[in-house]
Structures are given as C-alpha cells and as structure tokens.
Amino acid sequence: MRKAFPHHWSFFLGELALYSLLVILLTGVWLTLFFKPEMTEVVYDGSYTPLRGVPMSAAFDSTLQISFDVRGGLLLRQVHHWAALVFLSAIGLHLLRIFFTGAFRRPREINWLIGVTLFVLALAEGFAGYSLPDDLLSGTGLRIAQGIMLSIPVVGTYLSMFAFGAEFPGEDIITRLYVLHVLLLPGALIALVTVHLILVFHLKHTQWREPGRTRRNAVGKPFFPQFTASSAGLSLMVFGVLTLLGAVAQINPVWMYGPYRADLVSTGAQPDWYVGFLEGALRLVPPWETTIAGHTLMWNVLLPAVVLPGLLFLVLYLYPFVEQRLTGEWDQEQHLCDRPRERPVRTALGVAGLTFYGVLLLAGGNDVVAFAFRISVNALTWVLRIALVVAPILAFMLTRRLCHALLDAEQERLREGLETGEVRQTVEGAYESDHRPQRTFPPGAPRPPLTPADRRPGPRTGTRAPERPGPAPRNR
C-alpha cells in the first residue's frame, strides 16, 4: 500500500484510458438492456416523425427507441460513444509516451506487447460497436470491410460468408458483431488490462532522471493514500467531462443517416478517426489488379487494407527488441525515462510514423477537403500520394536535426548560463551579454556539472552513454 508511484502529468494517460474503459463498461451494460441485435425487418412507429413508416432492421429500430423513447437513452448513447473515442485516444497517446521516453525497454517488453495488443483489440471493439446500429453510415463501413475480406486470396470468399452468413449483407452480421462487442472483446480487454496493471506494480513505474533517482529506486507518491486520492479525483473528472460531452456535443446522429440499404451510400462518409488511416490508404492506392489463372488480385484493396496494417503492427511489436539489439541495452534494465531529444533517431522515427499516419488520415477525407476548399479531388489525391512518401522522410531529417540542436543549446546554457539581457562593454571595447546560472530544470534535464552520461548522443542510434562510467558496448 506504500508503493511509490512517480508523479508527472504524462503518467496519467494510462489512467485516463482505464477510467474511460470503466465508463464504456457501465454505459454499455445499460445499453444492452434496450438494444436488439437483430436484422429482421420491422416498420418504425416511434417518436421520430421523419422515419415513421420506414422499413428498417430491428437493430436500427431499437437504436432509435433508445435515442428518443428511453429516458436518458440518448445521453448514455453519446457518453458511450465519446468514452470509446477517448479510450482509443488515451491508449494511442499512452503508447506514444512509452515510445518516445523509452519505457518499453527491459524489463517492460511484455507490457509493451500487451499495450499494442490492447490497442488492436480496442480498434476491433470500436469498429464492432460503430457497426451495431445498422444505419447507412455504419453499413457503408461494413460493405468496405466485406470488400477487404474478399481481397484476400483463396480464403477471402470463405471469410466473407463466415462473417455475414450469406451474400452481403446477410442476416447474421449484427448478431455476431454484438457477441464480439459485448462479450469476447471486452473480456479480452479486461483480462489484458488486469495483467498490465499487475506488471506495472511488479516492475515498478518508470521515472524521470532527477537527483536522488536511480535505476534501483522509485521516488513518488505512496499508493495509499496520496496516489489513490489523486487517481480517484482523475476518475471523477473523466466521468464528469464525458457526461458533459454526451450532453452538449452531438455524436453519431444515426437518425440523420437513416437505415442501411445496400443500394445507397451516404455523402461524405468517413469512419471514426481510429480507422480513418485505413480509409485513406484505400483512397490513395491506384487501381492495380492482377489476374492469375482466372483469379483477380485487387492490389488496391489488399495492399492498403491487409498488408499495410499488418506491417504497421508488426513493426510496433518488434521495435523494442530491435532497438535494444542495436543499442546494446539488451542486457541491462532501464527504469529511467529518456527525453525525446536524447534519442534523436528514435524520436525522428516516431515523428515520421506520425506524419505517415497523418497523411493517411487526411486522405480518408479527401472528398470533404476538396469540396471545402474548391479544389480537384484528383489533384489532391496525387498531392497526398507524393506526400505519403516524401513527408515522412522530411519529418525524420528535420526532427533528428532539431533534437541535436536542442541538445547543443541546452549544454551551452549549462556551460555559460542564461542571458540576463544586460550588455556591458569590455576594456577592449567589445560588447558582451551577462549570464546567470540556470536554477530551474525540466524533468529529466541534466544538471551541472555535466557528466559523460549527458554528452551528445551518437549520430546512428542516438544512444545515451551508460549511467556508470565505462566503455560502451562494441555493437552500440
């Protein structure tokens, strides 16, 4: 109960994801009491007048009933949706914090693998829940998902028939997604979160470099009562903000889209942000296809929707092991966080990856962007295709140079001090500015006098020198 937890605002991102998940579970249990996961056709006769008399699935009908006829139903529906978006955002930001500070290194590789797996499961959980209302927008997403399944050679048609139970749209997909959304995926998420928290307790939390902090201790608030109190306060803030968003910020108004029909597509259809990169990849790849022995391979679907995500997550899974092999840190535990500037190559790779993702996300709404700015959608698509290749390279080079520049400027301030703004004339007639010693330091920043561990990182890996004086590993 007295276990120390280091304190920094970035360490609360994981807790933000945890409490968002708790809101999802609480509101989701309530919504299951009123939702009907069926695709049988009914005629709507509820309170929303524009859709009265319109044939629709029982799933969409029950979603409208929750929104307009169940007391507090629309509020909880929107809180549930907002909590899902915050949950995925918090996991993504938490992973980025772990990546840029090097908190994935030994002995925390397993926790990194669990975190990436949680993000994958959260993506699947979000897509399943997004598809359950069976409205025109989510039905369009299911149609795209079926096209992705069909692009897989040999087994694609079998996967599609297994998922939908028949030719698209079938009559089973909503029921099967419902089982995934309320039972299998939440169970896996809760189990992995539990294991993740146990490992955090067992391995102790990472911390920033500060006087008195080493690889062998942890300096921070004791778990009870200080950390428990601050964490409980954060949970109440999360509950309150999500409830406020659900009350005042409209999200996913399914009644405006109407029920799904296989012969219709809603204008300006974009998915939620977390699968927007997949939509953008589908829009950027040219219409390539190959016919082999009477079978057509649709590269413009297979590459962006199957190969690209697979490679992306494979890189995320393998990165901790690859970096530690290259830097020679495989045989030592790392409990102190790196500042991003101290690892120029790692930071540059991360920024390049974020740039790559950002271009894909922008491409996912290229039609909306083209319409808003009155430009050609074809011209915008070609610009984004070029940017997808060029922008990450430029981002890598610029970020690495910026990291080295920040380190140089920081060491200069430590050696010479901070400028006071006062200028004096020397006896030789020259002018120079006065300096004063630096007194305040951000978390993890080196302090005078400079030690070998604070020297500028190498150009290839950006690896810090070892904490103890000694020769660097030969393979660094």
Side-chain angles (χ1 to χ4, degrees), residues 126-189:
F127 180 77
Y130 173 83
S131 304
L132 285 180
D134 199 30
D135 59 283
L136 187 57
L137 187 61
S138 66
T140 303
L142 282 176
R143 184 60 161 170
I144 295 174
Q146 192 239 4
I148 294 173
M149 295 178 193
L150 293 177
S151 72
I152 302 176
V154 183
V155 299
T157 53
Y158 297 99
L159 288 175
S160 176
M161 292 295 291
F162 174 76
F164 291 89
E167 291 292 339
F168 181 86
E171 296 181 353
D172 299 326
I173 184 63
I174 297 298
T175 303
R176 293 175 179 178
L177 286 175
Y178 182 75
V179 174
L180 284 174
H181 186 68
V182 305
L183 181 62
L184 300 180
L185 291 175
L189 286 170

Side-chain angles (χ1 to χ4, degrees), residues 449-473:
L450 294 176
T451 66
D454 300 319
R455 68 173 183 246
R456 178 173 176 164
R460 187 171 71 89
T461 62
T463 306
R464 289 179 58 91
E467 185 174 310
R468 294 181 176 180

Side-chain angles (χ1 to χ4, degrees), residues 19-69:
Y19 296 133
S20 300
L21 176 62
L22 183 58
V23 174
I24 293 172
L25 294 174
L26 292 175
T27 55
V29 168
W30 188 89
L31 291 172
T32 58
L33 303 177
F34 303 94
F35 182 73
K36 297 179 181 178
E38 303 171 5
M39 297 185 70
T40 54
E41 188 174 282
V42 299
V43 177
Y44 180 69
D45 62 351
S47 301
Y48 188 63
T49 304
L51 289 179
R52 282 183 183 172
V54 175
M56 59 186 62
S57 66
F60 188 70
D61 178 77
S62 65
T63 304
L64 293 178
Q65 296 290 340
I66 292 172
S67 301
F68 295 107
D69 299 305

Side-chain angles (χ1 to χ4, degrees), residues 57-89:
S57 66
F60 188 70
D61 178 77
S62 65
T63 304
L64 293 178
Q65 296 290 340
I66 292 172
S67 301
F68 295 107
D69 299 305
V70 176
R71 187 184 297 272
L74 181 59
L75 173 64
L76 289 181
R77 245 198 78 227
Q78 298 203 144
V79 170
H80 187 74
H81 201 124
W82 275 115
L85 295 183
V86 172
F87 177 58
L88 277 154
S89 303

Side-chain angles (χ1 to χ4, degrees), residues 368-381:
V368 176
V369 174
F371 178 79
F373 291 95
R374 301 294 191 271
I375 58 178
S376 168
V377 67
N378 292 327
L380 179 61
T381 300

